[in-house]
């Protein structure tokens, strides 16, 4: 199965007040995300992290988290990941430094892309956290910010189902 999540910001205490996350500290947040991640992701699943994976890039810290996450991790880099492509690759993460096209019609990018309702494409994105200017989903988009999906990776099948329902409205 293929899953998507963005903006985990493992190791970040500053993201908690910025994104109004319900955690007392980064350790509590990290443990919750790991728990939610592993509750749905199996060892053989693929997980697209759509940017801003870690804020603390201490090698031992990153390895300690990666060792506990199920699945094969594919990172589409975000603004907090800049300059870290080789670091993540050394850790066994598949890294894309630019947006990717997934299954012909889905653009996976950290920051939202401009698409209009006349286009048949869907943008799977993160970056916006709880910003109310952006919808959770529409006919052409699906936001996978951890803040919006209860810190739990969502399946590609779920994304397709929700977007399909939006088309029928």
């Amino acid at each position: 199965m293929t899953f998507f999540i963005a903006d985990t910001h493992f190791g970040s205490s500053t993201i908690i007040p910025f994104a109004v996350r319900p955690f007392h500290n980064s350790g509590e947040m990290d443990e919750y995300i790991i728990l939610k991640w592993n509750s749905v992701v199996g060892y053989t699943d693929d997980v697209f992290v759509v940017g801003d994976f870690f804020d603390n890039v201490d090698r031992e810290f990153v390895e300690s988290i990666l060792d506990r996450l199920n699945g094969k991790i594919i990172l589409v880099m975000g603004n907090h990941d800049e300059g870290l492509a080789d670091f993540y690759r050394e850790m066994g993460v598949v890294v894309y430094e630019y947006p990717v096209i997934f299954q012909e019609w889905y653009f996976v990018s950290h920051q939202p892309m401009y698409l209009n309702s006349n286009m048949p494409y869907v943008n799977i994105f993160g970056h916006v956290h709880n910003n109310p200017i952006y919808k959770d989903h529409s006919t052409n988009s699906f936001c996978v910010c951890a803040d919006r999906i209860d810190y739990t990776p969502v399946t590609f099948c779920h994304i397709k189902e929700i977007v399909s329902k939006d088309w029928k409205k």
Side-chain angles (χ1 to χ4, degrees):
M1 220 181 273
T2 301
F3 291 85
F4 292 83
I5 189 168
D7 302 290
T8 51
H9 289 276
F10 283 111
S12 175
S13 56
T14 57
I15 196 63
I16 295 168
F18 175 80
V20 194
R21 290 187 173 183
F23 306 105
H24 294 100
N25 55 56
S26 63
E28 181 183 328
M29 176 185 73
D30 296 347
E31 289 302 316
Y32 187 76
I33 295 171
I34 292 167
L35 177 73
K36 298 298 276 188
W37 179 302
N38 289 337
S39 73
V40 295
V41 176
Y43 292 106
T44 61
D45 293 327
D46 292 331
V47 182
F48 278 85
V49 176
V50 189
D52 294 357
F53 196 10
F54 283 83
D55 280 14
N56 176 352
V57 291
D58 171 76
R59 185 174 206 84
E60 286 183 30
F61 175 77
V62 173
E63 285 176 341
S64 73
I65 299 289
L66 290 176
D67 286 346
R68 296 177 59 202
L69 295 174
N70 291 344
K72 174 184 167 190
I73 298 169
I74 303 148
L75 173 64
V76 177
M77 292 181 65
N79 54 302
H80 287 265
D81 305 308
E82 289 179 11
L84 297 171
D86 291 336
F87 173 79
Y88 285 122
R89 287 183 182 114
E90 290 170 10
M91 300 288 196
V93 174
V94 175
V95 177
Y96 291 97
E97 297 182 53
Y98 301 99
V100 297
I101 298 171
F102 183 73
Q103 294 199 3
E104 298 182 58
W105 302 104
Y106 295 83
F107 295 124
V108 182
S109 62
H110 180 59
Q111 295 186 20
M113 299 172 67
Y114 171 77
L115 296 175
N116 69 47
S117 59
N118 296 320
M119 298 174 166
Y121 306 108
V122 175
N123 180 209
I124 300 171
F125 67 93
H127 186 66
V128 299
H129 295 277
N130 291 315
N131 186 333
I133 293 172
Y134 296 91
K135 294 180 179 182
D136 290 344
H137 53 82
S138 72
T139 56
N140 296 96
S141 66
F142 196 101
C143 182
V144 294
C145 286
D147 316 80
R148 293 179 185 233
I149 57 174
D150 191 28
Y151 310 94
T152 310
V154 294
T155 66
F156 182 58
C157 291
H158 177 73
I159 292 170
K160 290 191 304 186
E161 179 183 321
I162 297 298
V163 169
S164 174
K165 286 180 183 176
D166 287 339
W167 271 103
K168 293 174 183 173
K169 287 181 181 177

